[in-house]
Amino acid sequence: MLPQMESLNRSLGTDIRLWPQDIRGSQAWASALAGAGVLSQQEGEALVEGLEAVAHRLSAGGFDDAPDEDVHTLVERLLGEEVGELAGKLHTGRSRNDQVATDFRLWGMEVTSAIDEALRELGSALVALAERGIDLIVPGHTHLQQAQPLRAAQWALSHLWPILRDRNRFQGASERAGEGLPLGSGALAGCPFPIDREWLRETLGFRSVSENSLDSVADRDWALEMAFAGALLGIHLSRLGEDLVLLSSQEFGVLRLPEGFCTGSSLMPQKRNPDVAELVRGKTGRLVGNLTGLLTLLKGLPSGYNRDLQEDKELLFDTADTLKLVLPPLTGALADAEFTLEGEGQDMDAGLLATDLADYLVRKGVPFRESHGLVGRVVRRAEDLGLSLSSLPLDAFREIHPSFEADVKEVFSFEASVEARAAPGGTARGAVEAQLASARELLTS
Amino acid sequence: MLPQMESLNRSLGTDIRLWPQDIRGSQAWASALAGAGVLSQQEGEALVEGLEAVAHRLSAGGFDDAPDEDVHTLVERLLGEEVGELAGKLHTGRSRNDQVATDFRLWGMEVTSAIDEALRELGSALVALAERGIDLIVPGHTHLQQAQPLRAAQWALSHLWPILRDRNRFQGASERAGEGLPLGSGALAGCPFPIDREWLRETLGFRSVSENSLDSVADRDWALEMAFAGALLGIHLSRLGEDLVLLSSQEFGVLRLPEGFCTGSSLMPQKRNPDVAELVRGKTGRLVGNLTGLLTLLKGLPSGYNRDLQEDKELLFDTADTLKLVLPPLTGALADAEFTLEGEGQDMDAGLLATDLADYLVRKGVPFRESHGLVGRVVRRAEDLGLSLSSLPLDAFREIHPSFEADVKEVFSFEASVEARAAPGGTARGAVEAQLASARELLTS
Amino acid sequence: MLPQMESLNRSLGTDIRLWPQDIRGSQAWASALAGAGVLSQQEGEALVEGLEAVAHRLSAGGFDDAPDEDVHTLVERLLGEEVGELAGKLHTGRSRNDQVATDFRLWGMEVTSAIDEALRELGSALVALAERGIDLIVPGHTHLQQAQPLRAAQWALSHLWPILRDRNRFQGASERAGEGLPLGSGALAGCPFPIDREWLRETLGFRSVSENSLDSVADRDWALEMAFAGALLGIHLSRLGEDLVLLSSQEFGVLRLPEGFCTGSSLMPQKRNPDVAELVRGKTGRLVGNLTGLLTLLKGLPSGYNRDLQEDKELLFDTADTLKLVLPPLTGALADAEFTLEGEGQDMDAGLLATDLADYLVRKGVPFRESHGLVGRVVRRAEDLGLSLSSLPLDAFREIHPSFEADVKEVFSFEASVEARAAPGGTARGAVEAQLASARELLTS
Amino acid sequence: MLPQMESLNRSLGTDIRLWPQDIRGSQAWASALAGAGVLSQQEGEALVEGLEAVAHRLSAGGFDDAPDEDVHTLVERLLGEEVGELAGKLHTGRSRNDQVATDFRLWGMEVTSAIDEALRELGSALVALAERGIDLIVPGHTHLQQAQPLRAAQWALSHLWPILRDRNRFQGASERAGEGLPLGSGALAGCPFPIDREWLRETLGFRSVSENSLDSVADRDWALEMAFAGALLGIHLSRLGEDLVLLSSQEFGVLRLPEGFCTGSSLMPQKRNPDVAELVRGKTGRLVGNLTGLLTLLKGLPSGYNRDLQEDKELLFDTADTLKLVLPPLTGALADAEFTLEGEGQDMDAGLLATDLADYLVRKGVPFRESHGLVGRVVRRAEDLGLSLSSLPLDAFREIHPSFEADVKEVFSFEASVEARAAPGGTARGAVEAQLASARELLTS
């Protein structure tokens, strides 16, 4: 093979990380061959032990630049160094196609636990942040306009639930990786030896054996699901990043990120830039790009194994690596983030209570649509008079509608507003505490 | 609002299809308001009946060009025509934000059944095609090179299993649509009236109530999952389309698509173009584009409802519409597709049996790696002599290795080759019939 | 053709808009056939006139639901109604493949002028906004942290230059549409009649004739370039939308969007939501999705015409339609947007002048890196003392470094700070006015 | 900074490759500072020389694992080791923001020449392949159905023209990189020292100076254009790869790829897999993914510099690296590819001449639409009689239409068919030779 082709052809730099899976799969295969009488019991055992020795050598590292084309040829060569010609019997009835598909799935089944753990820690940091923000009332926004008062805890927890959904998606992708063991599919047509695939399945921890050999060697659905889980998690992280950038701006002034996760400016000494939030938000690009890349890669390929599939691993590995890179610092930053507002929203704009004013009228029997319009008039009246909503005199209210009575002044309490929203999922203290309890339980599982 | 803004702002043309969901959600809300004592029982019932009358009018069609901004204002206006001022009470404690999120989810929970049915029919057509191809042995490919003989049924079924996985993905997305009822979340902070959200959940068929109001109004995870299920299905359809185009080419000559799904050429009268396969393959573009579009749309939005979210529906509706458009003709084409080869591969290249030759040596005790090399030498010898592998004299075999004996000639049977691959998932008749039985069962559920 | 296939096959609903291009291309082809002696002069003229009559009928509209498969068969059928059997001669030596590629390119050459005009108007609105903001000094941000003072005009113009680059990209895509006239390429192999392609090129306004018939019928590079120009414009619009949302928030309070482009809230009567900015930002999704869709569509197709290409038009039409939808309201909103801050930044944080303080030390001979560190100490000292930077006593400055002298107080002028940045491209009045002059000139071309 | 944040924050592993650009930009800046009187002439010269010494050290390699955060801090630290405290003056009036934007653009201006050279070599290989295929007539396809005879040269050249368009796109992106020098924009507001930006522009080889400092520090349009050029090139390579896979299949049997670019099978000794074509086709995924990643990254960012932009480089570097990886082996494979058919298509199906038959009737005065229908009947008649089109007796022709005369037999010449397509761009020898001449000229420029 010519040198310029070798660079393109070679995948060892990428797939070396699959050596533990390649060893496990090969050991299972050796035993299965012995079980089927294709090898003697003794040969089977010698291969398993030889592979163990190879694993020992590989675990010491330093093989990234080995001369072999990929991890499979590397393992086979090292096995030859351990057991001699017997190594040549391991590949009986097995193809590179079912072998690599099995290795990759084993990796997919395992990688999730690290991601899940990182997500659990991120979730715990959000819970702790919510606990620090349960007494604090801040402006809640829609359309980035101030809308209604919120407990800061409600905001923090709004970022938790997506993360919990993401955990489920990764868990699901991992389960799919374990559905349909490819080993025993041969190159495309199945295995010509009486291999016990059910035994292989159990040994390798799969949930089921693949049903069709031709489908099995090229099925990467689980990998796409995992890349999608990564992309959607990326979208959630971009929202969290966006919020952190906003809330730690001077204008919003709600949150301070810890110094160790910010940087100063090369030109402006007073700056405290929310780098962690921006870097995390920026990584969304490659997470989405990896998904698009995998979809593009697979589009229009004919059935069966095609060499294009070599590219699948690098893209998915990058998604996993990116997540392992971004989640810990984000968690660290949230763990020490501080709310910089205090109290129960005393300084907030009374306009945040306009909905409560409409609800007040509703309770007095005014249909909501009408009360909505009436409050609009109240808001404009206050603006015309240059007054805040809460300091508008009762007369002015009553000119607009007689249902306004002296108790209207009780509406102007941020605390009362949030406490009114006591239905499940709302921002009242009780509802938030129920959320927290539920979240804590989910995070221990 | 200025005319050029109105065009941008207006979504009725897109969301009119949500009227049944908007009616159902509103009826449930009216009852819940009555249940909570916010409305009288009588008011609640009047609203439910009024909405029923509105539904009756809407089901007659013709409202796409109504002057209203969106389906919600349309329904509210028509309700006013039915019940007068009382209509103004329906929106009490509800926001457009939780309302539209609920409508959209209800649609997502329902749309899947049509897609699932279309996928089931596609699956049945593939099963029937496999049944027609169980006796037929064709060249199987990897890297689009002829590799090993396959039953045509094995090829047909290789396209079935991805479709069954797609069914599961759509089912999953639909379940996620039903997890976390948004209704009762208000605009962002929750509902200030003692609404029974659990009752709403049960009435509307959701699996759970959302846990955080702020998350709930902006959570579109389920829609992304459905768009992803559509994109991955698109990838599978592109592979099926690619195979159909290949196999119905003159060069491959394995399959004939029925005339009603092909077109002639405007310039070349002899052509029979596999249009159905190409058009289906081409639609993969928009299915992937819709997913990318949704991811891009959501990237970097701050938390809570932002008006950008209006765009989510058009993209997901397009995915559903595209699938409903492409699946039936593809199913129709497969239902009447015919294999144009006959027999048991008599005319195929004996090179397809090279693996079997290596397996023959393995059975004689030669390690696979060595036998693989020996067969390579046999192949080259036959080439040098200008002979097919099967007509090479026994002497020539034995010159290469003494393990070749007279029975080597038995290797040269395509039937024997496929029957050897009898492990589960393989192309032997028994294994294929087991697959078929399993597939038929899954298609009835 | 079966009904379910007909729906998939039919493209008239999409390509009907190409009728003017189809007529023009066909008229040119008729003349070219006559010029080549394939038709008589009289036949050629009769076809041209007949096509004129068809154009007249089509311009009246109402053909979207015609029974024809696509615009080409519609035009051919109507032509038959005008000129009888002669219509059957028009397709001589021409294929649907070179015909549709020509029509689509003609559309691409023309559509740009509408987009360019809309971009020019958006640019003019930005220039006008800049003119209204030339005296206003506002906080400029990096990392969304307040960084240095800026003229509001500098901010407005920062959105203009990307728009001008977008104009160039659309212009470029349009030029590429006009490079390589496909007409005369036949289905794939060229035209067997002595057509004068150079005459066709000139008549149809192309810049060159395609060089290879097989490439020409499938080349959609120009369409991808236009879709890319649309996607990148979308990215720029998302940035502008993001800025408008931010600056019109209560927290930033820098800009007020006109009422006709905002909406109130269904639940919160006091809200003024920047809908125009959000809707524009949201449309980025489909613009990016259309590009991804086109790339996915083309990936892996073999050479020559494949029916998949039918999908190209709908995606690119959507990009053009989306731009025509979003640009006018965005322009309208900017035209009447008002800056809501006043004066020369009196109320801004003196921290914005920290860089100027460092520059002050540099001018006194302190190396920048050192002065950067010294100013950091000044900032912290002021914080410790609970003072703003500008009210820190001179002694405190001098304790940190003796180069601080009485004239340090002159640094604390926002006006002086912006005026210092007088190098080309900077925020000083003179530099901004030079920008404005240059922008105005580019917008008149 | 905490360790987990450091990993996220650090970009040296990626941006170390920008050191030559960082040195050049810094040398120019040092001179400009001296020119503006901010530094003395002597200081300026000392910095330039110090940077030269740093370059010398860096060119020896080994700095990838240096402790510095990024290439800029690395260069600054090494400069300090060379010139001491004076190094602290280099950053005067410059920000990391305009510095990195300048470095990245300088890289973009330079990287194109390597890509262009690789494309030129690929083009030359296609020209040479076309030269080897000028006498060979092969079936041309549309919809992958055999359509009309083609010179193999016409097919080879159909892949050349897209490559030439790609060269122009890269050239264009490179020019855009050189439009709008950022240096002198400061962090966002411009430079407070009287720097001669026009001199900087000329020194650094830019075409113009940026017009707006705030736009300039965040403008990555040129990088998106380059990523798009890479993605579209990827699409073209996927088409070429697809064709190579098809044509080297046993079924098509038109082309043989050289052994050094193929691999055998681990299981099937007879296989010759077109790995080079598949690997190249597979790389399209990441090229498209990089573009999507960049678009996603930028979507919704507010104006000015945001740290998210750190991600831009890795994605674009990957596009450039991928192209440098795939183009040489593809070129190598084409350089030694051989057509495996011979002669003038003697064995091809006469159905390929059906269009010529219709053209024959047109020349006899039958309108094309009618002749198209008549030839359809001829084709079916031949099928019914089990005859090839060319062996159908004259009587059978004449029964269908009297315009068929004895000279109809002359139609059945593949050579005559291709020679008829002599209009520019067609497959006749003369037209192909004109193409070749034009291609050769473009490839020398």
Side-chain angles (χ1 to χ4, degrees), chain A residues 76 88 143 154 165 169 192 197 211-213 215 221 225 236 238 243 300 303 305 363 369 424-425 427 435, chain B residues 76 88 143 154 165 169 189 192 197 211-213 215 221 225 236 238 243 300 303 305 363 369 424-425 435:
Chain A
E76 192 168 336
H143 307 257
Q154 181 78 344
R165 293 192 296 271
R169 265 183 293 273
R197 296 187 73 204
E211 302 249 20
N212 180 293
S213 55
D215 170 41
D221 284 13
E225 289 196 35
H236 296 149
S238 81
D243 270 13
S303 62
Y305 185 82
R363 289 195 176 88
R369 275 293 169 229
T427 197
Q435 259 190 80
Chain B
E76 190 168 336
H143 306 258
Q154 181 78 342
R165 294 193 294 272
R169 266 184 291 274
R197 295 188 74 203
E211 302 249 21
N212 181 293
S213 55
D215 170 40
D221 284 12
E225 289 197 34
H236 295 149
S238 82
D243 270 13
S303 62
Y305 184 82
R363 289 195 175 88
R369 275 291 170 229
Q435 257 191 79

Side-chain angles (χ1 to χ4, degrees), chain C residues 16-71:
Chain C
I16 180 73
R17 74 167 75 184
L18 290 180
W19 72 258
Q21 290 80 18
D22 201 63
I23 296 282
R24 282 181 61 204
S26 293
Q27 287 179 321
W29 188 247
S31 301
L33 285 173
V38 182
L39 302 184
S40 70
Q41 258 338 99
Q42 202 185 335
E43 286 176 323
E45 282 163 23
L47 283 170
V48 170
E49 282 165 31
L51 286 161
E52 204 59 43
V54 170
H56 191 71
R57 287 173 64 186
L58 285 166
S59 66
F63 288 87
D64 298 38
D65 296 324
D68 310 273
E69 179 188 332
D70 58 24
V71 68

Side-chain angles (χ1 to χ4, degrees), chain B residues 46-374:
Chain B
L47 283 170
V48 169
E49 281 164 34
L51 286 160
E52 204 60 43
V54 170
H56 190 71
R57 289 172 64 185
L58 284 166
S59 66
F63 288 86
D64 298 38
D65 296 324
D68 310 274
E69 180 188 332
D70 58 24
V71 67
H72 317 296
T73 46
L74 170 64
V75 167
E76 190 168 336
R77 176 172 63 82
L78 296 182
L79 181 62
E81 294 176 13
E82 298 294 330
V83 303
E85 288 215 345
L86 176 61
K89 295 196 172 181
L90 176 60
H91 213 54
T92 310
R94 185 173 66 159
S95 153
R96 188 70 50 82
N97 300 355
D98 57 346
Q99 182 180 4
V100 67
T102 301
D103 291 0
F104 194 21
R105 282 176 179 266
L106 283 169
W107 174 87
M109 291 156 73
E110 291 161 16
V111 73
T112 306
S113 69
I115 295 171
D116 186 72
E117 181 56 26
L119 287 173
R120 230 166 46 76
E121 285 173 11
L122 174 58
S124 297
L126 284 164
V127 162
L129 182 64
E131 287 165 344
R132 297 200 294 282
I134 193 146
D135 294 327
L136 179 64
I137 299 178
V138 297
H141 297 77
T142 63
H143 306 258
L144 213 70
Q145 293 287 306
Q146 293 193 359
Q148 294 175 1
L150 271 186
R151 293 198 179 278
Q154 181 78 342
W155 166 81
L157 290 172
S158 80
H159 288 286
L160 171 67
W161 300 102
I163 296 298
L164 294 176
R165 294 193 294 272
D166 291 320
R167 285 181 72 195
N168 287 340
R169 266 184 291 274
F170 274 100
Q171 185 55 36
S174 178
E175 285 172 15
R176 243 79 74 215
E179 286 165 13
L181 169 72
L183 203 56
S185 298
L188 72 158
C191 179
F193 300 101
I195 289 294
D196 184 346
R197 295 188 74 203
E198 194 53 33
W199 180 88
L200 279 172
R201 178 199 70 67
E202 200 179 329
T203 300
L204 292 171
F206 275 72
R207 305 160 75 92
S208 62
V209 156
S210 69
E211 302 249 21
N212 181 293
S213 55
L214 185 59
D215 170 40
S216 187
V217 293
D219 169 21
R220 298 293 186 270
D221 284 12
W222 71 269
L224 275 282
E225 289 197 34
M226 195 168 282
F228 169 69
L232 186 45
L233 170 53
I235 295 299
H236 295 149
L237 295 178
S238 82
R239 180 166 53 193
L240 177 49
E242 175 86 1
D243 270 13
L244 294 177
V245 167
L246 281 173
L247 297 187
S248 60
S249 68
Q250 283 96 333
E251 285 80 1
F252 278 76
V254 171
L255 198 81
R256 181 183 293 133
L257 292 173
E259 270 196 39
F261 297 88
C262 298
T263 61
S265 158
S266 66
L267 187 55
M268 296 161 290
Q270 88 287 8
K271 295 283 296 296
R272 185 143 94 171
N273 297 326
D275 292 80
V276 66
E278 297 172 283
L279 287 165
V280 167
R281 186 176 60 184
K283 289 288 183 188
T284 309
R286 69 189 310 133
L287 292 169
V288 170
N290 288 337
L291 172 61
T292 318
L294 278 167
L295 288 163
T296 307
L297 165 64
L298 292 174
K299 187 260 169 175
L301 289 189
S303 62
Y305 184 82
N306 299 280
R307 186 69 192 277
D308 316 54
L309 291 177
Q310 174 170 314
E311 273 291 294
D312 57 4
K313 283 175 288 302
E314 196 164 349
L315 292 169
L316 190 61
F317 289 170
D318 186 77
T319 284
D321 292 348
T322 297
L323 293 175
K324 290 180 194 168
L325 180 71
V326 305
L327 292 172
L330 181 60
T331 300
L334 290 168
D336 291 330
E338 287 169 40
F339 290 109
T340 48
L341 290 181
E342 282 181 15
E344 295 170 354
Q346 295 88 336
D347 303 328
M348 301 194 314
D349 190 322
L352 283 157
L353 299 169
T355 316
D356 298 271
L357 207 50
D359 293 341
Y360 167 91
L361 288 176
V362 164
R363 289 195 175 88
K364 302 272 178 178
V366 185
F368 180 77
R369 275 291 170 229
E370 189 187 346
S371 66
H372 185 272
L374 293 169

Side-chain angles (χ1 to χ4, degrees), chain C residues 38 76 85-94 96-97 140-144 147-150 153-159 161-162 165-166 169 176 184 187-195 197 209-215 218-222 224-226 228 231-232 235-236 238-240 242-243 246 281-282 284-285 288 291-292 294-296 298-307 356 359 362-363 365-370 420-428 431 434-435 438 442, chain D residues 38 76 85-94 96-97 140-144 147-150 153-159 161-162 165-166 169 176 184 187-195 197 209-215 218-222 224-226 228 231-232 235-236 238-240 242-243 246 281-282 284-285 288 291-292 294-296 298-307 356 359 362-363 365-370 420-428 431 434-435 438 442:
Chain C
V38 182
E76 192 169 336
E85 289 215 344
L86 177 59
K89 294 197 172 182
L90 176 60
H91 213 55
T92 310
R94 185 174 65 160
R96 188 70 50 82
N97 301 354
H141 297 77
T142 64
H143 307 257
L144 214 69
Q148 293 174 0
L150 271 186
Q154 181 78 343
W155 166 81
L157 290 172
S158 80
H159 288 287
W161 299 101
R165 293 193 295 272
D166 291 320
R169 265 183 292 273
R176 244 80 73 216
L188 71 159
C191 179
F193 300 101
I195 289 295
R197 295 187 73 202
V209 156
S210 69
E211 302 249 20
N212 180 294
S213 55
L214 186 59
D215 170 41
D219 169 21
R220 299 293 186 271
D221 285 12
W222 71 270
L224 275 281
E225 289 196 34
M226 196 168 281
F228 169 70
L232 186 44
I235 295 299
H236 295 149
S238 82
R239 179 165 55 194
L240 177 48
E242 174 87 0
D243 270 13
L246 281 173
R281 186 176 59 183
T284 309
V288 170
L291 172 61
T292 317
L294 278 168
L295 288 163
T296 307
L298 292 175
K299 187 261 170 176
L301 289 190
S303 63
Y305 184 82
N306 299 281
R307 187 68 192 279
D356 297 272
D359 293 340
V362 164
R363 289 196 177 87
V366 184
F368 180 77
R369 277 291 170 230
E370 188 186 345
R421 279 146 184 94
T427 196
Q435 256 192 80
S438 157
L442 287 165
Chain D
V38 182
E76 192 168 335
E85 288 215 345
L86 176 60
K89 295 198 172 182
L90 176 61
H91 213 54
T92 311
R94 186 173 66 158
R96 187 71 50 81
N97 301 354
H141 297 76
T142 63
H143 308 256
L144 213 68
Q148 294 175 1
L150 271 186
Q154 182 77 346
W155 166 81
L157 290 172
S158 80
H159 288 287
W161 300 102
R165 293 192 295 272
D166 291 320
R169 265 183 292 272
R176 242 80 73 215
L188 73 159
C191 179
F193 300 101
I195 289 295
R197 295 188 73 204
V209 157
S210 69
E211 302 249 20
N212 180 295
S213 55
L214 185 60
D215 170 42
D219 170 22
R220 299 295 186 269
D221 284 12
W222 71 269
L224 276 281
E225 289 196 35
M226 195 167 283
F228 168 70
L232 186 44
I235 295 298
H236 295 149
S238 82
R239 180 165 54 194
L240 177 48
E242 173 87 1
D243 270 13
L246 281 173
R281 187 176 59 185
T284 309
V288 170
L291 172 61
T292 317
L294 277 168
L295 288 163
T296 305
L298 293 175
K299 188 261 169 175
L301 290 189
S303 63
Y305 184 82
N306 300 280
R307 188 68 193 278
D356 297 272
D359 292 341
V362 163
R363 289 195 176 89
V366 184
F368 179 77
R369 275 292 169 228
E370 189 186 344
R421 280 149 183 92
T427 196
Q435 258 191 79
S438 157
L442 287 164

Side-chain angles (χ1 to χ4, degrees), chain C residues 234-268:
Chain C
I235 295 299
H236 295 149
L237 296 178
S238 82
R239 179 165 55 194
L240 177 48
E242 174 87 0
D243 270 13
L244 294 177
V245 168
L246 281 173
L247 297 187
S248 60
S249 69
Q250 284 95 333
E251 284 80 359
F252 278 76
V254 171
L255 198 79
R256 179 183 294 133
L257 292 173
E259 270 196 38
F261 297 88
C262 298
T263 61
S265 158
S266 66
L267 187 55
M268 294 160 290

Side-chain angles (χ1 to χ4, degrees), chain D residues 159-442:
Chain D
H159 288 287
L160 171 67
W161 300 102
I163 296 299
L164 294 176
R165 293 192 295 272
D166 291 320
R167 287 181 71 195
N168 287 339
R169 265 183 292 272
F170 275 100
Q171 185 56 35
S174 177
E175 286 173 15
R176 242 80 73 215
E179 286 166 13
L181 168 72
L183 204 56
S185 297
L188 73 159
C191 179
F193 300 101
I195 289 295
D196 184 346
R197 295 188 73 204
E198 193 54 32
W199 180 87
L200 279 171
R201 177 199 70 67
E202 201 178 327
T203 300
L204 292 171
F206 276 73
R207 305 160 74 93
S208 62
V209 157
S210 69
E211 302 249 20
N212 180 295
S213 55
L214 185 60
D215 170 42
S216 187
V217 292
D219 170 22
R220 299 295 186 269
D221 284 12
W222 71 269
L224 276 281
E225 289 196 35
M226 195 167 283
F228 168 70
L232 186 44
L233 171 53
I235 295 298
H236 295 149
L237 296 178
S238 82
R239 180 165 54 194
L240 177 48
E242 173 87 1
D243 270 13
L244 295 177
V245 168
L246 281 173
L247 297 186
S248 60
S249 69
Q250 284 95 332
E251 285 80 0
F252 277 77
V254 172
L255 200 79
R256 180 183 295 131
L257 292 173
E259 269 196 40
F261 297 89
C262 299
T263 62
S265 158
S266 67
L267 186 55
M268 295 161 289
Q270 88 286 8
K271 295 282 298 294
R272 184 144 93 172
N273 297 325
D275 292 80
V276 66
E278 296 173 282
L279 287 165
V280 167
R281 187 176 59 185
K283 289 287 184 188
T284 309
R286 70 190 307 133
L287 292 170
V288 170
N290 288 338
L291 172 61
T292 317
L294 277 168
L295 288 163
T296 305
L297 164 64
L298 293 175
K299 188 261 169 175
L301 290 189
S303 63
Y305 184 82
N306 300 280
R307 188 68 193 278
D308 316 54
L309 291 176
Q310 173 169 313
E311 273 292 294
D312 56 5
K313 283 175 287 302
E314 195 164 351
L315 293 169
L316 191 61
F317 289 170
D318 185 77
T319 284
D321 293 347
T322 298
L323 293 174
K324 289 179 194 168
L325 180 70
V326 305
L327 292 172
L330 181 59
T331 299
L334 289 169
D336 291 330
E338 287 170 39
F339 290 109
T340 47
L341 290 182
E342 282 182 13
E344 295 168 355
Q346 295 89 334
D347 303 329
M348 300 195 312
D349 188 324
L352 282 157
L353 299 169
T355 316
D356 297 272
L357 208 51
D359 292 341
Y360 166 90
L361 288 176
V362 163
R363 289 195 176 89
K364 302 271 179 178
V366 184
F368 179 77
R369 275 292 169 228
E370 189 186 344
S371 66
H372 184 272
L374 292 169
V375 172
R377 288 173 56 197
V378 172
V379 168
R380 277 189 296 280
R381 180 72 50 93
E383 278 180 10
D384 291 347
L385 297 174
L387 294 173
S388 93
L389 211 53
S390 55
S391 49
L392 196 68
L394 182 57
D395 286 356
F397 279 101
R398 293 186 59 84
E399 276 168 33
I400 286 167
H401 200 277
S403 294
F404 284 115
E405 296 176 74
D407 61 354
V408 71
K409 292 297 177 177
E410 292 166 22
V411 168
F412 295 103
S413 153
F414 295 108
E415 176 79 18
S417 171
V418 297
E419 283 310 292
R421 280 149 183 92
T427 196
R429 182 181 301 270
V432 172
E433 278 173 354
Q435 258 191 79
L436 277 167
S438 157
R440 281 187 211 105
E441 195 180 318
L442 287 164

